[in-house]
mmCIF file of all heavy atoms in Angstrom:
data_model
loop_
_atom_site.group_PDB
_atom_site.id
_atom_site.type_symbol
_atom_site.label_atom_id
_atom_site.label_comp_id
_atom_site.label_asym_id
_atom_site.label_seq_id
_atom_site.Cartn_x
_atom_site.Cartn_y
_atom_site.Cartn_z
ATOM 1 N N LYS A 119 17.357 49.288 -19.041
ATOM 2 C CA LYS A 119 16.070 49.832 -19.482
ATOM 3 C C LYS A 119 14.923 49.212 -18.686
ATOM 4 O O LYS A 119 14.002 49.906 -18.262
ATOM 5 C CB LYS A 119 15.863 49.595 -20.975
ATOM 6 C CG LYS A 119 14.555 50.133 -21.504
ATOM 7 C CD LYS A 119 14.366 49.772 -22.971
ATOM 8 C CE LYS A 119 13.071 50.272 -23.555
ATOM 9 N NZ LYS A 119 11.875 50.063 -22.775
ATOM 10 N N VAL A 120 15.000 47.909 -18.468
ATOM 11 C CA VAL A 120 13.948 47.215 -17.724
ATOM 12 C C VAL A 120 13.851 47.760 -16.300
ATOM 13 O O VAL A 120 12.763 48.071 -15.832
ATOM 14 C CB VAL A 120 14.205 45.686 -17.686
ATOM 15 C CG1 VAL A 120 13.161 44.981 -16.832
ATOM 16 C CG2 VAL A 120 14.236 45.109 -19.086
ATOM 17 N N ILE A 121 14.992 47.888 -15.633
ATOM 18 C CA ILE A 121 14.929 48.351 -14.241
ATOM 19 C C ILE A 121 14.462 49.804 -14.159
ATOM 20 O O ILE A 121 13.740 50.169 -13.238
ATOM 21 C CB ILE A 121 16.250 48.123 -13.476
ATOM 22 C CG1 ILE A 121 17.389 48.908 -14.054
ATOM 23 C CG2 ILE A 121 16.594 46.659 -13.416
ATOM 24 C CD1 ILE A 121 18.609 48.952 -13.175
ATOM 25 N N ARG A 122 14.823 50.599 -15.153
ATOM 26 C CA ARG A 122 14.347 51.988 -15.184
ATOM 27 C C ARG A 122 12.827 52.008 -15.399
ATOM 28 O O ARG A 122 12.093 52.675 -14.671
ATOM 29 C CB ARG A 122 15.059 52.770 -16.278
ATOM 30 C CG ARG A 122 14.680 54.250 -16.314
ATOM 31 C CD ARG A 122 15.393 55.025 -17.419
ATOM 32 N NE ARG A 122 15.042 54.515 -18.740
ATOM 33 C CZ ARG A 122 15.882 53.901 -19.574
ATOM 34 N NH1 ARG A 122 17.143 53.734 -19.248
ATOM 35 N NH2 ARG A 122 15.485 53.473 -20.754
ATOM 36 N N ASP A 123 12.350 51.229 -16.388
ATOM 37 C CA ASP A 123 10.918 51.211 -16.703
ATOM 38 C C ASP A 123 10.077 50.654 -15.556
ATOM 39 O O ASP A 123 8.946 51.095 -15.343
ATOM 40 C CB ASP A 123 10.653 50.392 -17.970
ATOM 41 C CG ASP A 123 11.188 51.058 -19.233
ATOM 42 O OD1 ASP A 123 11.618 52.236 -19.170
ATOM 43 O OD2 ASP A 123 11.195 50.383 -20.288
ATOM 44 N N LEU A 124 10.625 49.690 -14.808
ATOM 45 C CA LEU A 124 9.877 49.070 -13.712
ATOM 46 C C LEU A 124 10.113 49.757 -12.369
ATOM 47 O O LEU A 124 9.512 49.376 -11.365
ATOM 48 C CB LEU A 124 10.244 47.580 -13.594
ATOM 49 C CG LEU A 124 9.836 46.685 -14.765
ATOM 50 C CD1 LEU A 124 10.358 45.267 -14.555
ATOM 51 C CD2 LEU A 124 8.321 46.694 -14.956
ATOM 52 N N GLY A 125 10.995 50.755 -12.332
ATOM 53 C CA GLY A 125 11.268 51.476 -11.094
ATOM 54 C C GLY A 125 12.025 50.649 -10.066
ATOM 55 O O GLY A 125 11.833 50.803 -8.863
ATOM 56 N N ILE A 126 12.916 49.799 -10.546
ATOM 57 C CA ILE A 126 13.713 48.934 -9.671
ATOM 58 C C ILE A 126 14.971 49.699 -9.251
ATOM 59 O O ILE A 126 15.616 50.323 -10.082
ATOM 60 C CB ILE A 126 14.062 47.614 -10.407
ATOM 61 C CG1 ILE A 126 12.773 46.827 -10.679
ATOM 62 C CG2 ILE A 126 15.069 46.790 -9.615
ATOM 63 C CD1 ILE A 126 12.959 45.624 -11.573
ATOM 64 N N PRO A 127 15.341 49.625 -7.972
ATOM 65 C CA PRO A 127 16.541 50.347 -7.519
ATOM 66 C C PRO A 127 17.832 49.751 -8.076
ATOM 67 O O PRO A 127 17.855 48.623 -8.563
ATOM 68 C CB PRO A 127 16.492 50.214 -6.000
ATOM 69 C CG PRO A 127 15.584 49.087 -5.706
ATOM 70 C CD PRO A 127 14.652 48.940 -6.868
ATOM 71 N N ASN A 128 18.907 50.491 -7.958
ATOM 72 C CA ASN A 128 20.219 50.070 -8.445
ATOM 73 C C ASN A 128 20.891 49.051 -7.517
ATOM 74 O O ASN A 128 21.810 48.343 -7.928
ATOM 75 C CB ASN A 128 21.135 51.293 -8.617
ATOM 76 C CG ASN A 128 22.435 50.948 -9.279
ATOM 77 O OD1 ASN A 128 22.469 50.322 -10.330
ATOM 78 N ND2 ASN A 128 23.540 51.347 -8.660
ATOM 79 N N TYR A 129 20.467 48.957 -6.282
ATOM 80 C CA TYR A 129 21.038 48.030 -5.290
ATOM 81 C C TYR A 129 22.556 48.170 -5.166
ATOM 82 O O TYR A 129 23.275 47.184 -5.092
ATOM 83 C CB TYR A 129 20.656 46.588 -5.595
ATOM 84 C CG TYR A 129 19.199 46.280 -5.339
ATOM 85 C CD1 TYR A 129 18.318 46.042 -6.391
ATOM 86 C CD2 TYR A 129 18.708 46.229 -4.041
ATOM 87 C CE1 TYR A 129 16.978 45.757 -6.151
ATOM 88 C CE2 TYR A 129 17.368 45.947 -3.792
ATOM 89 C CZ TYR A 129 16.509 45.713 -4.858
ATOM 90 O OH TYR A 129 15.186 45.441 -4.618
ATOM 91 N N ASP A 130 23.034 49.388 -5.183
ATOM 92 C CA ASP A 130 24.467 49.677 -5.001
ATOM 93 C C ASP A 130 25.352 49.018 -6.054
ATOM 94 O O ASP A 130 26.510 48.675 -5.782
ATOM 95 C CB ASP A 130 24.942 49.286 -3.594
ATOM 96 C CG ASP A 130 24.205 50.054 -2.513
ATOM 97 O OD1 ASP A 130 23.978 51.269 -2.703
ATOM 98 O OD2 ASP A 130 23.849 49.437 -1.486
ATOM 99 N N ASP A 131 24.838 48.833 -7.254
ATOM 100 C CA ASP A 131 25.641 48.278 -8.349
ATOM 101 C C ASP A 131 26.690 49.314 -8.752
ATOM 102 O O ASP A 131 26.347 50.376 -9.257
ATOM 103 C CB ASP A 131 24.745 47.946 -9.540
ATOM 104 C CG ASP A 131 25.486 47.317 -10.704
ATOM 105 O OD1 ASP A 131 26.736 47.259 -10.688
ATOM 106 O OD2 ASP A 131 24.815 46.876 -11.654
ATOM 107 N N PRO A 132 27.973 49.026 -8.533
ATOM 108 C CA PRO A 132 28.999 50.019 -8.859
ATOM 109 C C PRO A 132 29.150 50.254 -10.361
ATOM 110 O O PRO A 132 29.745 51.252 -10.764
ATOM 111 C CB PRO A 132 30.282 49.419 -8.269
ATOM 112 C CG PRO A 132 30.028 47.957 -8.198
ATOM 113 C CD PRO A 132 28.549 47.807 -7.977
ATOM 114 N N PHE A 133 28.584 49.369 -11.177
ATOM 115 C CA PHE A 133 28.761 49.459 -12.634
ATOM 116 C C PHE A 133 27.464 49.766 -13.382
ATOM 117 O O PHE A 133 27.461 49.787 -14.604
ATOM 118 C CB PHE A 133 29.395 48.171 -13.163
ATOM 119 C CG PHE A 133 30.619 47.761 -12.410
ATOM 120 C CD1 PHE A 133 30.721 46.504 -11.850
ATOM 121 C CD2 PHE A 133 31.675 48.645 -12.226
ATOM 122 C CE1 PHE A 133 31.849 46.128 -11.133
ATOM 123 C CE2 PHE A 133 32.807 48.279 -11.511
ATOM 124 C CZ PHE A 133 32.891 47.020 -10.959
#
Side-chain angles (χ1 to χ4, degrees):
K119 180 184 180 314
V120 176
I121 64 167
R122 184 180 62 247
D123 291 351
L124 294 176
I126 295 171
N128 187 51
Y129 289 110
D130 299 319
D131 182 352
F133 310 125

